[in-house]
Amino acid sequence: WRLLLLILAAALILVNQLALRYGGYFLPQPAASLLSGQWLGWLAALALAAYLLLHRERSFWEILALCAVWSAGAVALLGLISHLKGGHLARYLGGLLVQLGQGMFRETLYCLTMWLVLVCTALSAWELVRSIARTQSDARALVLKNQLVMENYSALEEKLRETARSRHESAHRLAVLDALVQQEDLAGLRRCIESWKQEAEKSQLRFCEQIAVNAILQDAAGRAEKLGIAFHAAVTVPKDLPIPDEDLCTLLMNLLDNALEGASRTPEGREKAIWFQMKAAGSFLPVLCENTFDGKVMTDGHGKPQTTKPDPAVHGFGIEQMRAVAEKYGSILDISWTEERFTVQTALQLPKE
């Protein structure tokens, strides 16, 4: 609706100027007089005023004020140069001042309205680009959330299967314990208990107290085990991090997804491994992830790595999303690689609580 007001203002100015300058050539006299009247200019100014009133964003008014200052400065500078050179612009500006002194606002109103139309058109185009960018960002976030939901669903299914296996295993172990007790085999009983304790410690793998980070790492460790990838993680973070979970998920899920995909492409005969480090240090949260890979990296025209996944429309935004999170917290996303290892690291600046 705001753009329609802007289009209306521009159309009214165009019709008014055409009728004023050339209306006598192709319009009847009554129509030419009507359309060349000053009321069309005031109506255009009113449409622009309504357009401006519908903008309540502070950033819009800040940019508009900045454009006004720069425009006024540019006109003053060009007018001074024109005055010194005896140019037409100085005489035109002087004529406008004389008209204002005589109470004639038509030409000045036309210039101001045209300036507003041009500037507001540029600002609306900029706002449209930002809106498209936000929509794309929301779509990427939705894809990521859907991926997280599906992974959680898969994890729940796996948990249910593990529960069923645990019940079956518990019944089996109770039978073994009962047999050992009846045989009074204390040594065998101790061996069984010690073995089961070690299995329990291994199955209860815990990386840190932060729930979101721990869940992401547990999921990555489980997937790495299925892919035959050694997963090494050293994490030291407090239970309550001053970074929203959605930003942590965006960074870590994309980071570990890429690491798992890269490590899975490690040639046979070489170790497939991921090394992940994350440690809160003062006001920073350094994150480092290294993985083995096949040494092949696709880059764009600027030398930046691109996705090698089969569906770039879905998976092509991981690096950009990680880079956006890093920049949000005053850092950069550093990406490097050798023939055998691919490294991604950043150091997020922790917000003050």
Side-chain angles (χ1 to χ4, degrees):
W1 293 109
R2 291 184 293 194
L3 287 176
L4 289 178
L5 290 171
L6 195 59
I7 294 171
L8 175 63
L12 290 173
I13 292 174
L14 177 63
V15 169
N16 182 248
Q17 289 299 309
L18 287 175
L20 182 65
R21 301 176 187 274
Y22 310 107
Y25 295 103
F26 60 88
L27 289 175
Q29 184 60 37
S33 300
L34 178 66
L35 295 177
S36 61
Q38 194 170 357
W39 67 275
L40 275 181
W42 287 107
L43 188 58
L46 183 62
L48 269 178
Y51 169 82
L52 294 173
L53 288 174
L54 289 175
H55 278 86
R56 301 182 181 274
E57 304 89 353
R58 182 177 177 179
S59 59
F60 173 85
W61 287 100
E62 289 176 348
I63 296 174
L64 184 62
L66 188 62
C67 290
V69 172
W70 277 100
S71 299
V75 169
L77 178 61
L78 294 175
L80 178 60
I81 295 174
S82 178
H83 175 71
L84 296 175
K85 297 288 186 178
H88 175 71
L89 179 60
R91 293 193 296 272
Y92 179 75
L93 293 176
L96 286 181
L97 293 176
V98 171
Q99 290 179 12
L100 289 174
Q102 296 174 352
M104 300 169 60
F105 304 100
R106 184 189 190 107
E107 193 70 20
T108 303
L109 179 64
Y110 167 74
C111 292
L112 290 176
T113 306
M114 281 300 299
W115 176 84
L116 270 175
V117 167
L118 292 174
V119 172
C120 291
T121 299
L123 292 179
S124 294
W126 174 66
E127 183 181 6
L128 179 62
V129 171
R130 289 184 60 197
S131 176
I132 293 173
R134 284 196 300 267
T135 301
Q136 290 180 341
S137 178
D138 292 342
R140 297 169 192 172
L142 183 60
V143 170
L144 186 62
K145 289 179 180 178
N146 289 338
Q147 179 185 350
L148 182 60
V149 168
M150 291 306 298
E151 288 176 355
N152 287 340
Y153 176 73
S154 299
L156 180 60
E157 282 190 323
E158 182 63 26
K159 193 68 176 177
L160 291 174
R161 286 192 291 267
E162 288 180 2
T163 302
R165 286 195 298 267
S166 297
R167 288 177 178 174
H168 178 76
E169 185 68 21
S170 296
H172 174 70
R173 289 178 177 179
L174 284 173
V176 172
L177 288 174
D178 183 61
L180 291 173
V181 169
Q182 291 181 8
Q183 296 173 9
E184 297 183 356
D185 186 357
L186 295 180
L189 192 59
R190 290 192 189 96
R191 286 195 301 271
C192 287
I193 293 176
E194 186 63 30
S195 173
W196 295 339
K197 284 173 61 178
Q198 291 177 359
E199 290 179 10
E201 290 175 358
K202 184 178 179 180
S203 63
Q204 295 174 356
L205 185 62
R206 190 172 186 86
F207 295 95
C208 65
E209 295 297 321
Q210 213 285 339
I211 296 176
V213 175
N214 186 68
I216 294 170
L217 291 175
Q218 284 182 334
D219 176 70
R223 288 190 287 160
E225 184 177 2
K226 292 178 182 178
L227 293 171
I229 300 171
F231 188 80
H232 310 280
V235 182
T236 307
V237 295
K239 183 177 181 180
D240 297 317
L241 277 173
I243 296 179
D245 286 349
E246 53 266 28
D247 289 336
L248 288 172
C249 289
T250 299
L251 176 65
L252 299 184
M253 287 180 64
N254 281 302
L255 186 66
L256 292 169
D257 278 350
N258 290 343
L260 286 165
E261 192 271 336
S264 66
R265 292 190 285 113
T266 304
E268 294 296 331
R270 282 174 44 196
E271 179 190 20
K272 298 182 179 182
I274 295 174
W275 296 268
F276 178 85
Q277 296 180 28
M278 185 177 184
K279 181 178 180 180
S283 59
F284 289 91
L285 181 66
V287 180
L288 170 68
C289 185
E290 290 184 295
N291 61 271
T292 58
F293 76 126
D294 58 4
K296 298 177 182 178
V297 179
M298 293 179 58
T299 58
D300 58 17
H302 303 285
K304 295 181 179 179
Q306 292 181 312
T307 181
T308 57
K309 296 178 181 177
D311 190 358
V314 177
H315 300 289
F317 304 119
I319 293 177
E320 292 303 319
Q321 287 179 329
M322 291 188 290
R323 185 173 285 115
V325 172
E327 292 175 355
K328 180 178 179 180
Y329 294 95
S331 182
I332 61 171
L333 191 72
D334 181 65
I335 301 175
S336 60
W337 60 88
T338 63
E339 292 183 356
E340 296 185 355
R341 287 197 183 187
F342 192 90
T343 304
V344 180
Q345 58 185 332
T346 186
L348 308 183
Q349 187 170 359
L350 298 174
K352 296 181 180 179
E353 298 182 3

